[in-house]
Amino acid sequence: MTDHQANVERLLGEYRRSREQLGEVHRRLAEISETVTSPDSSVAVTVGHRGIVQRVWIADHAYRRYRPADLAVLVTHTIQVASASVAAVSARVASEVLAPGEAAGRQAPNNGRSEDFGQQSVRQAPSW
């Protein structure tokens, strides 16, 4: 085998490995889903890997506790926190195959400010 043939075989092997790794990342990204519950458990939201809201759950007591406008703000804020969480998880998954710094540049800003909810609220959801 010539040096040229060996180089082509090496490049083909690298290409196949990269393609398999990329397929695995796409599969993992498609499985990402985050559920966030408001601190008082009035609202729970699940957001999928593309930032699309999959479920919104509102407890019965929320309608008595909040005025409609305030409940809307709580729902919106909970969606923002869940979306930011999905973006962070997606960036971590993507960073496994992207060059250093590339994934960080693609991460969405944390508009939901999950620190407002505290660590215990993330991924706690009532049974649907």
Side-chain angles (χ1 to χ4, degrees):
M1 185 181 284
T2 67
D3 287 341
H4 177 68
Q5 288 173 323
N7 195 33
V8 168
E9 289 298 321
R10 181 185 57 78
L11 290 172
L12 280 173
E14 288 176 11
Y15 169 75
R16 287 183 188 112
R17 282 187 296 280
S18 294
R19 195 173 77 183
E20 288 171 9
Q21 188 178 26
L22 185 59
E24 175 65 14
V25 168
H26 279 274
R27 184 192 62 74
R28 288 177 55 199
L29 286 172
E31 293 175 351
I32 293 172
S33 166
E34 293 289 310
T35 298
V36 174
T37 300
S38 64
D40 66 354
S41 300
S42 293
V43 174
V45 175
T46 300
V47 174
H49 73 285
R50 293 182 186 223
I52 297 172
V53 176
Q54 296 173 332
R55 291 183 184 211
V56 175
W57 176 85
I58 301 173
D60 290 338
H61 70 266
Y63 298 107
R64 292 182 295 277
R65 183 178 293 172
Y66 293 100
R67 295 186 334 224
D70 295 332
L71 183 56
V73 168
L74 181 61
V75 169
T76 301
H77 187 72
T78 306
I79 290 170
Q80 290 170 341
V81 173
S83 295
S85 183
V86 164
V89 171
S90 297
R92 280 195 304 272
V93 169
S95 71
E96 294 174 9
V97 293
L98 295 174
E102 242 183 288
R106 296 179 185 191
Q107 184 175 358
N110 188 358
N111 295 329
R113 295 187 7 226
S114 59
E115 63 273 8
D116 290 349
F117 276 67
Q119 292 296 345
Q120 294 180 346
S121 66
V122 175
R123 294 190 186 100
Q124 294 176 353
S127 59
W128 304 102

